[in-house]
Amino acid sequence: MAIQTNGIVVKSERIKSLYFLLEISCPPIANQIKPGQFIMLKISDDSSPLLRRPFSVYKSYPTSHPEKKNRGRFIIIYKKVGKGTQKMTEFKIGQKADLIGPLGNGFTLPAPPSSKIIFIGGGVGIVSLYPLAEALGRKNAMVFIGGKTKNDILCVEDFKRLKSKPYIATEDGSLGYKGTVIDLFLSQKGKFKNDDSCSVYSCGPAEMLKGLVRIIESNRFYCEVSLEARMACGFGACWGCVVKTNDSEAPYQRVCKEGPVFNIKNIIWE
Ligand SMILES: Cc1cc2nc3c(=O)[nH]c(=O)nc-3n(C[C@H](O)[C@H](O)[C@H](O)COP(=O)(O)OP(=O)(O)OC[C@H]3O[C@@H](n4cnc5c(N)ncnc54)[C@H](O)[C@@H]3O)c2cc1C
Ligand code: FES
């Protein structure tokens, strides 16, 4: 159940270019959060910015975790894109972090019995797929990681440690395949084209997910996507984050409440 609570910042650092890591000690959230769920963080005590900002949890360590020093903590990785994330870069160790979480419905666990697990992450979207990969614990998963340049490629070593095979795409060709991560995925389709039992999990910009729809439609893959939307409340009250779905009983669903994870086939992409 989501709660509003205070955590303490225990690490705040840049990892590369515009990407930063924030580690927060907050046992109530670290104990509960599931892969694909998110938190809403209050960034400042004044009204700038007024609204909390949503972030996926990248790693979490419940209080029962074997690594004693990390117990009760969780980590987010964020990209500095605007006023709120700029302010977050100034967070200091020891400062209070006002949080609401865990929020939303995460990925469906366990995964359907599947011969192949495929992760596709665009930019910072890959962050929300990492805890899922950890929870599924499936070796030899394929992970497609894309970004505009090599500076946007995250989490490669983490996925390697889970024995997944990374495939990297950059739009400028500065690392790996030159093109989008969806082009790269298509180029590798020969490896699983006769395989109906693939489960695909994806998170990234809307344009990327729209590209994925076409591939999923022409195959019989199971596919869950985590959507990003501008959020005001984060817990279902304002209806500011709706997406159109093909569910006749609930044609508009809230990304923060019914999502952020949806079956790709249920979304009407506009
Ligand atoms: C469920 C969820 C999980 C998220 N997880 C992460 C994460 O793990 N790491 C991370 O870096 N970001 C994540 N985001 C996006 C993050 O919330 C936004 O980047 C952040 O709110 C921007 O705040 P800002 O004040 O810096 O930017 P603003 O000044 O509000 O906006 C700056 C620019 O970013 C765009 N933008 C802002 N918010 C969003 C959004 N939600 N979706 C698409 N574009 C947006 C704006 O259109 C604008 O162009 C997540 C969003 C959602 C909904
Ligand atoms: S952000 Fe308010 S309902 Fe989703």
Side-chain angles (χ1 to χ4, degrees), residues 2 4 38 40 52 100 103-104 231-238 241 254 256-257:
Q4 180 174 359
F38 65 98
M40 293 290 282
R52 292 169 183 271
I100 301 179
L103 291 162
M231 289 183 181
C233 72
F235 46 79
C238 72
C241 63
R254 295 158 294 185
C256 69
K257 187 81 178 173

Side-chain angles (χ1 to χ4, degrees), residues 148-161:
K148 285 198 165 29
T149 78
K150 64 181 180 186
N151 287 331
D152 301 302
I153 302 298
L154 302 169
C155 307
V156 176
E157 293 308 314
D158 281 325
F159 277 97
K160 279 189 189 165
R161 269 192 289 277

